[in-house]
Structure formats: C-alpha cells, structure tokens
Amino acid sequence: MRFATVALFFSGCFAQTAVDLAHQSKSVDFSGMAHTRPAQVGTSLPAACAVGEVFFKSDAAPGKNLYVATSASPCAWTQVAAPAATAGGSPGQIQYNNTGSFNGFTVSGDGTLNTATGALTVTKTNGAFFAPSATIDATSASNITAGTLPGGRLPVFAGDVSSAGGSAAINVLRINGTSVPLNASADTVLGTTGAATAAWFAIPNCQDSSGNHLNYNTPIHAFTCGTTSSGGGGGTSGGMPLVDDTGAAANAYAGCPAGAPALTDGFAILFRAKYANTSNSTFAYCGGTAKKVMNSEATELGAGHMSQSPIALWNHAATKTYNGNQSFVIGDLVWDNGTAQWYVSVFTGTCVGCLGDASKLIPVNPRTVTLVYHQQVDRWEIHSSLRHATTTEAISGTDNTTAMSPLEVLQSINQNAPLATATPNRYDYGRYTGSAWAGAGTPTNPGSGRVPRRWIVDGSTILRSDGMLPFLTGCSTGPVALAPTGVRPMMLQYSSGGTAPGSSCYISNGSLPPTWAGTTIKFDTQVQVSATANISYLIGVVGSAAAQSSGVLSYSAGSYAAPLAAFRFNTAAGDARWKCVASVDGTTPLVADTGAQGTVDGNVHQFQIFIDDALNTIHFYLDTTEVCAGTAWGPELPANSAMTPYLGIYQTAAFGSPQTLTLAYVWLEANR
C-alpha cells in the first residue's frame, strides 16, 4: 500500500498538463508575461479559419499587418487599418498639415488653380505681371515683338544686300536687282549704263555763266558742260570749248575760250595749234602764266605731238563718205566733201540730212588736240595720241603714234574724272559695236596724277598695246580672234603650248622693268578659261622678278618668286574655286576664298584688283562684286613695287588638246 502512494506522487510532479484558458481561467492578465503573441504569424493568410481569429501577415506594409477572420465558410480575412484622415477646409482647397490635422487653403494672388484639371497658372511675381516674352519660347525669333535683337542672332542676308551670319554689317550691292558700284568721289550721281547695271557719273563744274548748260550724252553715259556762246574762242565741240592758238611761235602756245571759264582741275579744251611743235611746249591760258604741256604718261612732248597734220583715228568702226542719207554705227568716221571736214558718229541708225546735228555727228578738226589742265602739278596734258603696237613694232619694241577723236577723249574724262575709289567697269560703252572695236580712249582723270597702261583686243589677231609691250611665252603659234556674241565680247584666245603636263602659256609686260613703280595700283581685265581640273590659272599683277617666268603658275605650296596680288585657280594647290592671293615679297602668301562668287566655269568673267595703299588693304572684285573682303591684307600689301600684268595657264596633267585662256582687254594704272 505505501508503495502505490509514492508512485502517484512522482507522476503528479513530472507530467505537463495543457490549460484550457477558455474554460479553466478567469480574468487572465498577461501584463506580467515576458512575451505575448496572441495572433498567428505568416506571409500567407490561412485557407481555413473561424470567425474572430487573428492573423499577423509579416510581409504586409507596416501598420497594415493585422487581419481578422470575419467569415468561416468560406474563410474571409479582413485587414485591420487605421481610419482615413478627415479632409480639412472646403471643397476645391489644397490640403495641408495643421498641427496634426488636415486643413485647406485656396490658391490666389499671383496664381490660380483649376481643380478640375489640376493646372496651376502663375501670371505674376509679388503682384507684378510677367512680360509676354516670359511665357513664350524666346529662342524663336517669330515670338519676339519688341526690343533690340543682338547682332549674333541676325541671319545671312542675300539678294540686293549681303552679310555674314551673326553680323550687323550689311553691304548693299544692288537696288531692285541693279548692281551699284562703290563710290567715294564727290560730285557724282547714280545712273545706269545698261540693263541692271549702274554707275556713278561725274557732274562737271557747270555754273550758270556765259551760256553754260549741262549736257548728257546717252551713247557714252556722260555729263558735259556745254555753252551756247561762240566767238573769239572758237565755240564748242562735244561740250569742250574750241580754242584757237594766239601764240607767236611753235612750242609757246596760247589761247582763251569764250567767256574765259575759270581754270579748274580736269578742265578740257580742243586746241587748234597754228604751228607744229618741235620740242617741249607750253600753253598760256587766257593771258596767264605759260604752263608745261605734257603727255599723259608724264613725259615731255616730242616733236609733232602738237601737229597740223590730219589725224588718223584709231580703230574706228568704219570710214565713210557722207552722202546725206545713210546708216551709221557709233564710232564711224565720216568725211564730208562739202565742208571738207571729218566727223565721228555718236549714234547707231539711219542719218538723213543730219550734218550739223551734234547728237548724231560730231566734227573732228584735223588740227585739234585735247588739252586738259592737271591742277595737282599745275600743267596741261595732251590727250590726242594713243600708242599701239603693230606686228613689226612688237618685234622691234618701237611705238607708233595715232590720234583719238575728241569724242573718245571727252568720254574718257567724263567717265573717270575724278577717278572712283572702286575700280570701275571701264569699257561698258563702246567696247564692242557689232564686230568692231570702238575705242574707249584714255580713261584716266588728269587731276588724279595716274598713269594708264593697257592691252586691247580690236578684232585682229594682234593684242594692241599702249605703254607696255605684250610678252607671250609658251603659247601655241598665234592667238585666235573671236567675234563678239550675245554671251562674250570680242576676244583673243591663247592656247598652251601642248597637251602634256607642264604645258603653259602666259602673257606679261615685255618692257621690263616697268617704267614706273606705282602706288594704288588698279588692275582690270575680262577673261574666259577652258579647264576646271588639273589646271593652274593666275590673273593679276606680279613683281618684275616673276613677270617672265612660269614659276607662279607651277606653284603648289611654299613661296612665290616675287610680290603679287592676283586671282588664282590652281588645283595642284588644292583650289576648288577662284582664290585671292597676295604677298609683299613672294614668301608666305596670304590666300582667301572667293566664296560662291568664285565658281570656275567656261563663262566670261571680269577680274579687278585695287591695291589701296592709303587704307593698307586690297580689294578684289569678281564681276564687279567684291570678294575676299574679310581678309586683313595689310601685312602682304605689295606697295611701291614695280608690278606688271600677268595672265597665265599651266597644265598639271595631260589633256587631249591644249587648254586656253581668252581675254578681251587688260587695264593697269597707278599713281605716278
């Protein structure tokens, strides 16, 4: 019996008995427990549950982990979450935290809120309205309606004006399509010399005294000062007074026109000498001091320059005898048996009884020379002769002297007195009438103190010259004379000496060195080229050291042999179009691109160069449009150098036939 009791005791001490809290406990207090987990824990809600069960979903968002079973069949769990916050303010307001609770405010003042779309519009800053540009894309120029646009925003202008992009510097080149040259001379007006071509016309000093009046000659596009008076001075011819010689002997001439006009720079007279001069000569105007009479090249007169002999007019269109009803072209030389007088035609058309009509025929006195007063050096210059070379003279180097008509001299004076800063288009009028040359004379202002030199094409195969002998090297035998057409003037075509690489042809001054080392040089020519690849062309002026060498043509890099200012197209040097090139001594030449104006093609183009010593720059013109203008040419200005024209072609590869260079004229002038 004792043994059994002991056994029961040990069993009661060591056995674990589960407590049914629902039925065996009362008022359970877990506050003293170290741990309490009244809910199941997991990441998936149980599929079976009893109403009232609690489940802690550990992967739910913090604060939203607790679920309770609200249905047993089927099992449904409901998430226990904090109650939603109560909105503050009134409908349409923006909510904000007002010390732990929501409150609302309405957008007002500088902005408004569209509660339907949520769009917030701000129109002011601290009560000040924004400028219109603040609400648009100011990078679009079309949105800018006021203010000043900075230069950097400007576009590239084209058409009648030109400019570089981003620059406020605008060049006006044309007026409604009519090209307008530069003008830096006083007392000039703008007029037209052809379709879409303008020029500046000099207005002579023509004051209302002694019957003076202003004339305009349409064939030569020139104003002259005429007079209705006549008398002791001999009247007028073509706007210039005729003056008879009152001197006592040869070489000492004198005279005075009607009204004794004041002696001013560029004043011109037609002078009838009683005697042929035998040496240096003087002329006393209206009883004043006798002043020297010089040639336009600044040399003393030679014997016979003031001559009584009938003149032979140079290269006029034709020589005809007047019969009272016939056709003429500008430049015809006409002899009238009735008056025993020569006339020159200044119109093209049929002449019926027009003798004495100065608008059609101008008398040419065979004993008249043109004298022009040159105020700069206080002397008279004779403008009656134009020297040119024949085939024989080109070989011997001698000169032959023939004379010009007063019309040609007057045209020269009026077109270029005073000489314009920009190189003018010198042969717009009278360059080609039909198939013959109508001489343009000596286009240089006596008051400018400048010396002209020229080569002119006259329809023959001889390049006529004045003051510089053409020097041809490498060219094939004899140039080809080309008659004028609708797309080119009368020209001479020169060909390279062969088809092989290195074949060349160039034309320069054969009278080396030039007789003058001029300043402010102007060069003007019209040229047509044949090749656009594997070729080298140079058109401009070079120093005498390179004038009789093809070295400037075969150039590909490095230095030239002498100073130069020229247009260059040299594919061996990488040129894709015409370039402007200049060098003060031949080394490190400065090269600039001519842009779209410099496209190389087979058309006739005018090339002009103006070396402006006064402003220390060079102006290059292609077809009268200035190119390469943005280049600082000063360091490479070939100033005070003996320069000569140079036009050449050089083949850098083999061709099927010799390549050509075709020219109409070459003009060179400089200060004395």
Side-chain angles (χ1 to χ4, degrees):
M1 179 61 81
R2 185 177 295 178
F3 175 79
T5 301
V6 172
L8 289 173
F9 172 82
F10 280 99
S11 173
C13 291
F14 294 98
Q16 294 289 328
T17 302
V19 178
D20 184 355
L21 291 179
H23 298 89
Q24 296 179 325
S25 64
K26 182 180 181 181
S27 302
V28 179
D29 183 1
F30 291 102
S31 61
M33 296 294 183
H35 299 285
T36 56
R37 297 180 66 185
Q40 301 177 62
V41 178
T43 58
S44 298
L45 295 171
C49 61
V51 175
E53 284 191 50
V54 179
F55 186 87
F56 185 90
K57 197 170 186 298
S58 60
D59 61 349
K64 297 181 180 181
N65 308 80
L66 197 62
Y67 289 77
V68 296
T70 56
S71 174
S73 182
C75 179
W77 294 95
T78 300
Q79 187 181 35
V80 179
T86 302
S90 59
Q93 288 187 315
I94 295 178
Q95 300 294 294
Y96 69 97
N97 187 337
N98 183 16
T99 318
S101 63
F102 283 117
N103 210 339
F105 72 90
T106 300
V107 176
S108 62
D110 289 348
T112 59
L113 174 66
N114 187 327
T115 58
T117 62
L120 177 64
T121 303
V122 179
T123 58
K124 295 178 285 186
T125 299
N126 289 332
F129 282 97
F130 293 141
S133 60
T135 59
I136 61 175
D137 179 11
T139 62
S140 174
S142 61
N143 290 331
I144 302 174
T145 59
T148 301
L149 196 66
R153 299 285 300 279
L154 293 178
V156 175
F157 289 95
D160 285 356
V161 298
S162 69
S163 71
S167 171
I170 298 176
N171 296 316
V172 178
L173 307 175
R174 302 173 188 86
I175 299 176
N176 289 335
T178 298
S179 62
V180 179
L182 296 176
N183 174 44
S185 301
D187 304 317
T188 55
V189 295
L190 187 65
T192 56
T193 59
T197 304
W200 293 99
F201 300 153
I203 302 296
N205 183 7
C206 193
Q207 302 183 38
D208 188 15
S209 62
S210 303
N212 285 347
H213 56 263
L214 193 64
N215 296 324
Y216 181 74
N217 191 320
T218 54
I220 63 174
H221 310 296
F223 289 99
T224 59
C225 187
T227 177
T228 55
S229 63
S230 60
T236 64
S237 177
M240 288 187 287
L242 295 170
V243 178
D244 289 315
D245 183 16
T246 58
N251 307 327
Y253 301 98
C256 187
L263 196 58
T264 57
D265 185 40
F267 180 72
I269 63 172
L270 293 177
F271 182 63
R272 295 181 178 133
K274 290 191 296 185
Y275 312 96
N277 77 309
T278 58
S279 62
N280 302 342
S281 303
T282 60
F283 176 72
Y285 179 75
C286 295
T289 303
K291 305 179 187 300
K292 277 192 175 184
V293 180
M294 309 287 286
N295 285 311
S296 61
E297 290 83 4
T299 58
E300 300 277 4
L301 293 190
H305 282 191
M306 193 84 77
S307 176
Q308 291 180 299
S309 301
I311 62 174
L313 292 177
W314 178 76
N315 285 332
H316 275 274
T319 301
K320 300 177 180 179
T321 300
Y322 180 74
N323 63 21
N325 185 354
Q326 62 202 114
S327 297
F328 297 109
V329 298
I330 294 174
D332 280 348
L333 181 62
V334 184
W335 172 258
D336 176 55
N337 287 314
T339 59
Q341 172 70 55
W342 284 103
Y343 297 83
V344 64
S345 171
V346 294
F347 85 114
T348 297
T350 301
C351 174
V352 179
C354 62
L355 197 66
D357 184 348
S359 68
K360 293 182 172 60
L361 297 177
I362 292 180
V364 181
N365 192 307
R367 296 190 303 178
T368 297
V369 295
T370 303
L371 296 181
V372 185
Y373 180 61
H374 186 332
Q375 191 174 38
Q376 180 177 337
V377 289
D378 193 27
R379 68 186 178 204
W380 292 86
E381 290 189 346
I382 189 169
H383 279 258
S384 63
S385 63
L386 180 69
R387 299 183 303 174
H388 63 87
T390 64
T391 304
T392 303
E393 292 158 1
I395 295 173
S396 65
T398 60
D399 286 322
N400 181 40
T401 299
T402 58
M404 289 192 306
S405 70
L407 170 67
E408 293 171 311
V409 177
L410 181 62
Q411 169 192 332
S412 303
I413 295 169
N414 288 328
Q415 280 184 331
N416 300 281
L419 196 66
T421 298
T423 305
N425 199 344
R426 303 188 180 284
Y427 298 97
D428 274 342
Y429 163 72
R431 188 182 297 167
Y432 314 99
T433 54
S435 60
W437 167 262
T442 310
T444 192
N445 173 27
S448 69
R450 295 177 66 76
V451 179
R453 300 287 185 265
R454 54 198 162 257
W455 298 326
I456 299 173
V457 174
D458 65 354
S460 70
T461 57
I462 300 171
L463 186 61
R464 301 297 181 183
S465 68
D466 175 35
M468 57 184 182
L469 192 64
F471 181 85
L472 278 66
T473 302
C475 311
S476 60
T477 304
V480 177
L482 302 180
T485 68
V487 295
R488 71 153 187 259
M490 183 185 305
M491 305 184 84
L492 276 180
Q493 186 176 83
Y494 294 87
S495 300
S496 62
T499 60
S503 297
S504 65
C505 171
Y506 64 89
I507 311 163
S508 64
N509 180 16
S511 306
L512 291 176
T515 56
W516 39 269
T519 59
T520 313
I521 292 172
K522 291 185 178 181
F523 168 86
D524 183 2
T525 187
Q526 270 196 330
V527 171
Q528 183 180 31
V529 300
S530 62
T532 58
N534 301 318
I535 203 74
S536 172
Y537 290 106
L538 192 80
I539 300 171
V541 292
V542 301
S544 57
Q548 295 184 3
S549 166
S550 63
V552 292
L553 291 171
S554 59
Y555 170 92
S556 61
S559 300
Y560 288 96
L564 81 162
F567 288 92
R568 184 190 80 188
F569 175 63
N570 185 341
T571 53
D575 299 342
R577 51 193 170 199
W578 287 107
K579 302 285 187 178
C580 306
V581 57
S583 176
V584 66
D585 57 6
T587 62
T588 59
L590 184 58
V591 180
D593 188 72
T594 57
Q597 186 74 13
T599 300
V600 181
D601 54 34
N603 299 323
V604 178
H605 295 285
Q606 186 174 22
F607 298 84
Q608 297 168 306
I609 301 170
F610 172 25
I611 302 176
D612 190 343
D613 298 272
L615 297 181
N616 198 37
T617 190
I618 306 175
H619 298 279
F620 293 86
Y621 300 89
L622 253 175
D623 296 323
T624 70
T625 296
E626 185 165 9
V627 293
C628 308
T631 304
W633 295 103
E636 298 299 334
L637 202 71
N640 297 302
S641 300
M643 308 294 283
T644 183
Y646 190 101
L647 300 90
I649 176 175
Y650 182 90
Q651 297 170 184
T652 60
F655 284 86
S657 59
Q659 296 304 296
T660 61
L661 184 148
T662 308
L663 65 89
Y665 65 90
V666 174
W667 174 273
L668 185 71
E669 67 177 52
N671 288 341
R672 298 185 173 118

